[in-house]
């Protein structure tokens, strides 16, 4: 993410922060939930089709709730046809199909070998009751984690960035406080150090609320 900002600064190009934050949070939640990096930040546009697919899913949720047959039809369409009809829905369904494949690999005992163990490796393990280890159900659980971990966190980051850029005094005060634990941009403070910064905590809480 930092490299994207540096390249944009050097080339005088605008950066879509909401797409960037969605790419960042998606990569993080994929790592936690499935043990792999989804690579959205490797794309110049942050793979924004996934973000747009999520937004479209939320906008369409109330319609599909009252007309569930629409969901059935969408799921039955082959991905190549869905790509022609709606590229954003294709990106989302393609992602879900990939996660289903990974879920089945977990159920088969295949592990990505990452530490700590990803969430899906634990809930597909033999310690879970057999009736809870059905691939489709687990995939829906995992996909819910991905959606929730992507959009909600990205939205909070976008709101925080907007408010900081719109209020110079708040940005200056926060930057001064951060310098007490980050004397240089390359310095990496610990979580416990950051949690001791009252103004930072206030900014975070305000963005989440």
């Amino acid at each position: 993410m930092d490299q994207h900002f540096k390249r944009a600064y050097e080339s005088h190009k605008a950066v879509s922060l909401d797409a960037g934050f969605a790419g960042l949070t998606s990569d993080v939640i994929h790592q936690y939930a499935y043990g792999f990096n989804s690579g959205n930040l490797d794309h110049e546009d942050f793979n924004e089709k996934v973000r747009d697919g999520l937004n479209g899913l939320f906008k369409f949720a109330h319609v599909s709730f009252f007309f569930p047959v629409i969901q059935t039809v969408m799921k039955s369409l082959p991905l190549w046809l869905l790509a022609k009809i709606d590229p954003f829905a294709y990106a989302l369904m393609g992602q879900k199909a990939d996660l289903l494949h990974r879920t089945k690999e977990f159920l088969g005992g295949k592990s990505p070998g990452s530490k700590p163990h990803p969430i899906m490796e634990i809930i597909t393990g033999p310690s879970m009751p057999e009736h809870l280890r059905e691939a489709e159900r687990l995939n829906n659980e995992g996909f819910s984690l991905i959606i929730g971990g992507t959009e909600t966190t990205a939205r909070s980051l976008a709101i925080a960035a907007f408010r900081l850029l719109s209020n110079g005094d708040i940005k200056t005060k926060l930057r001064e406080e951060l310098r007490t634990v980050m004397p240089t941009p390359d310095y990496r403070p610990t979580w416990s150090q950051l949690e001791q910064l009252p103004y930072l905590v206030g900014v975070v809480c305000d963005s989440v609320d």
Side-chain angles (χ1 to χ4, degrees):
M1 189 70 174
D2 181 56
Q3 292 302 315
H4 278 284
F5 289 150
K6 289 179 178 178
R7 287 196 298 269
Y9 174 77
E10 293 168 356
S11 60
H12 302 285
K13 290 184 178 179
V15 174
S16 176
L17 283 181
D18 59 334
F21 288 142
L24 170 65
T25 56
S26 180
D27 286 352
V28 171
I29 191 59
H30 273 87
Q31 189 69 51
Y32 273 100
Y34 283 87
F36 78 101
N37 188 321
S38 53
N40 293 300
L41 292 182
D42 296 334
H43 296 261
E44 194 63 33
D45 62 352
F46 307 109
N47 199 16
E48 59 185 14
K49 286 185 177 180
V50 173
R51 175 210 58 183
D52 294 336
L54 286 176
N55 290 337
L57 177 66
F58 291 138
K59 292 178 181 177
F60 192 65
H62 65 290
V63 176
S64 60
F65 178 80
F66 290 105
F67 301 97
V69 66
I70 298 177
Q71 294 188 52
T72 304
V73 172
M74 293 290 285
K75 291 178 180 179
S76 66
L77 293 176
L79 289 178
W80 65 266
L81 180 57
L82 191 59
K84 294 183 178 181
I85 298 174
D86 189 335
F88 302 130
Y90 163 75
L92 203 61
M93 295 307 294
Q95 182 186 35
K96 189 173 184 180
D98 175 66
L99 294 180
L100 177 60
H101 173 72
R102 293 175 184 274
T103 299
K104 290 179 178 178
E105 287 187 336
F106 279 122
L107 287 169
K110 186 175 180 180
S111 169
S114 57
K115 296 288 182 68
H117 297 291
I119 296 171
M120 290 304 295
E121 182 176 356
I122 296 172
I123 65 176
T124 57
S127 61
M128 295 294 291
E130 191 61 34
H131 70 281
L132 297 178
R133 299 176 70 246
E134 196 272 326
E136 190 67 31
R137 188 196 74 82
L138 288 168
N139 189 53
N140 288 333
E141 294 281 358
F143 195 55
S144 296
L145 283 173
I146 296 299
I147 292 175
T150 297
E151 177 59 22
T152 55
T153 314
R155 187 62 53 195
S156 296
L157 289 170
I159 291 172
F162 172 78
R163 290 181 176 173
L164 288 172
L165 293 173
S166 301
N167 297 275
D169 293 341
I170 296 177
K171 181 178 67 174
T172 300
K173 187 172 181 179
L174 178 61
R175 183 175 290 173
E176 290 174 350
E177 186 183 66
L178 284 170
R179 281 200 182 102
T180 63
V181 294
M182 292 181 65
T184 66
D186 296 330
Y187 189 84
R188 294 292 180 264
T190 64
W191 279 113
S192 59
Q193 287 177 304
L194 293 174
E195 289 172 344
Q196 301 304 313
L197 301 179
Y199 200 74
L200 172 63
V201 173
V203 170
V204 172
C205 290
D206 182 62
S207 300
V208 173
D209 292 340

